[in-house]
mmCIF file of all heavy atoms in Angstrom:
data_model
loop_
_atom_site.group_PDB
_atom_site.id
_atom_site.type_symbol
_atom_site.label_atom_id
_atom_site.label_comp_id
_atom_site.label_asym_id
_atom_site.label_seq_id
_atom_site.Cartn_x
_atom_site.Cartn_y
_atom_site.Cartn_z
ATOM 1 N N PRO A 27 54.759 18.699 116.400
ATOM 2 C CA PRO A 27 54.269 18.359 115.056
ATOM 3 C C PRO A 27 54.488 16.904 114.684
ATOM 4 O O PRO A 27 55.411 16.231 115.200
ATOM 5 C CB PRO A 27 55.097 19.336 114.178
ATOM 6 C CG PRO A 27 56.365 19.512 114.973
ATOM 7 C CD PRO A 27 55.969 19.462 116.410
ATOM 8 N N ALA A 28 53.759 16.446 113.714
ATOM 9 C CA ALA A 28 53.949 15.181 113.068
ATOM 10 C C ALA A 28 54.435 15.428 111.637
ATOM 11 O O ALA A 28 54.325 16.519 111.115
ATOM 12 C CB ALA A 28 52.719 14.366 113.130
ATOM 13 N N MET A 29 54.965 14.362 110.998
ATOM 14 C CA MET A 29 55.439 14.539 109.644
ATOM 15 C C MET A 29 54.807 13.446 108.757
ATOM 16 O O MET A 29 54.834 12.257 109.054
ATOM 17 C CB MET A 29 56.970 14.401 109.644
ATOM 18 C CG MET A 29 57.534 14.250 108.254
ATOM 19 S SD MET A 29 57.453 15.781 107.255
ATOM 20 C CE MET A 29 58.715 16.721 108.036
ATOM 21 N N LEU A 30 54.245 13.881 107.631
ATOM 22 C CA LEU A 30 53.865 12.929 106.547
ATOM 23 C C LEU A 30 54.884 13.138 105.443
ATOM 24 O O LEU A 30 54.907 14.198 104.786
ATOM 25 C CB LEU A 30 52.450 13.282 106.021
ATOM 26 C CG LEU A 30 51.921 12.397 104.845
ATOM 27 C CD1 LEU A 30 51.772 10.984 105.316
ATOM 28 C CD2 LEU A 30 50.655 12.942 104.369
ATOM 29 N N LEU A 31 55.724 12.184 105.266
ATOM 30 C CA LEU A 31 56.892 12.231 104.384
ATOM 31 C C LEU A 31 56.535 11.383 103.095
ATOM 32 O O LEU A 31 56.365 10.184 103.203
ATOM 33 C CB LEU A 31 58.141 11.767 105.058
ATOM 34 C CG LEU A 31 59.414 11.693 104.173
ATOM 35 C CD1 LEU A 31 59.729 13.128 103.584
ATOM 36 C CD2 LEU A 31 60.572 11.140 105.065
ATOM 37 N N GLY A 32 56.472 12.046 101.969
ATOM 38 C CA GLY A 32 56.199 11.371 100.698
ATOM 39 C C GLY A 32 57.123 11.761 99.653
ATOM 40 O O GLY A 32 57.581 12.960 99.562
ATOM 41 N N LYS A 33 57.400 10.942 98.716
ATOM 42 C CA LYS A 33 58.194 11.254 97.565
ATOM 43 C C LYS A 33 57.488 12.199 96.626
ATOM 44 O O LYS A 33 56.262 12.329 96.696
ATOM 45 C CB LYS A 33 58.649 9.962 96.818
ATOM 46 C CG LYS A 33 59.546 9.069 97.595
ATOM 47 C CD LYS A 33 60.043 7.896 96.766
ATOM 48 C CE LYS A 33 60.958 7.018 97.555
ATOM 49 N NZ LYS A 33 61.382 5.840 96.762
ATOM 50 N N ILE A 34 58.233 12.872 95.739
ATOM 51 C CA ILE A 34 57.565 13.815 94.848
ATOM 52 C C ILE A 34 56.615 13.067 93.976
ATOM 53 O O ILE A 34 56.870 12.019 93.437
ATOM 54 C CB ILE A 34 58.692 14.456 93.933
ATOM 55 C CG1 ILE A 34 59.586 15.331 94.807
ATOM 56 C CG2 ILE A 34 58.121 15.286 92.886
ATOM 57 C CD1 ILE A 34 60.918 15.796 94.104
ATOM 58 N N GLN A 35 55.389 13.670 93.793
ATOM 59 C CA GLN A 35 54.308 13.107 92.978
ATOM 60 C C GLN A 35 53.931 11.733 93.448
ATOM 61 O O GLN A 35 53.549 10.902 92.675
ATOM 62 C CB GLN A 35 54.742 13.062 91.538
ATOM 63 C CG GLN A 35 54.840 14.406 90.890
ATOM 64 C CD GLN A 35 53.535 15.139 90.786
ATOM 65 O OE1 GLN A 35 52.533 14.642 90.292
ATOM 66 N NE2 GLN A 35 53.519 16.404 91.288
ATOM 67 N N SER A 36 53.952 11.510 94.795
ATOM 68 C CA SER A 36 53.551 10.229 95.330
ATOM 69 C C SER A 36 52.152 10.276 95.874
ATOM 70 O O SER A 36 51.643 9.279 96.467
ATOM 71 C CB SER A 36 54.536 9.777 96.407
ATOM 72 O OG SER A 36 54.519 10.671 97.492
ATOM 73 N N GLY A 37 51.437 11.376 95.836
ATOM 74 C CA GLY A 37 50.083 11.466 96.317
ATOM 75 C C GLY A 37 49.920 12.134 97.696
ATOM 76 O O GLY A 37 49.004 11.804 98.373
ATOM 77 N N LYS A 38 50.845 13.074 98.010
ATOM 78 C CA LYS A 38 50.782 13.703 99.310
ATOM 79 C C LYS A 38 49.500 14.503 99.509
ATOM 80 O O LYS A 38 48.889 14.494 100.624
ATOM 81 C CB LYS A 38 52.045 14.567 99.507
ATOM 82 C CG LYS A 38 53.352 13.779 99.633
ATOM 83 C CD LYS A 38 54.522 14.657 99.951
ATOM 84 C CE LYS A 38 54.793 15.703 98.887
ATOM 85 N NZ LYS A 38 55.265 15.019 97.606
ATOM 86 N N THR A 39 49.091 15.265 98.438
ATOM 87 C CA THR A 39 47.895 16.045 98.576
ATOM 88 C C THR A 39 46.660 15.217 98.832
ATOM 89 O O THR A 39 45.883 15.445 99.753
ATOM 90 C CB THR A 39 47.726 16.935 97.300
ATOM 91 O OG1 THR A 39 48.875 17.779 97.158
ATOM 92 C CG2 THR A 39 46.450 17.837 97.503
ATOM 93 N N ARG A 40 46.525 14.165 98.028
ATOM 94 C CA ARG A 40 45.379 13.226 98.184
ATOM 95 C C ARG A 40 45.434 12.653 99.607
ATOM 96 O O ARG A 40 44.373 12.499 100.227
ATOM 97 C CB ARG A 40 45.392 12.196 97.131
ATOM 98 C CG ARG A 40 44.139 11.212 97.240
ATOM 99 C CD ARG A 40 44.133 10.334 96.000
ATOM 100 N NE ARG A 40 43.900 11.068 94.778
ATOM 101 C CZ ARG A 40 42.736 11.507 94.374
ATOM 102 N NH1 ARG A 40 41.625 11.242 95.090
ATOM 103 N NH2 ARG A 40 42.595 12.172 93.231
#
Side-chain angles (χ1 to χ4, degrees):
M29 169 69 74
L30 179 65
L31 177 59
K33 294 182 177 180
I34 295 170
Q35 291 296 308
S36 64
K38 293 186 293 298
T39 301
R40 183 170 296 278

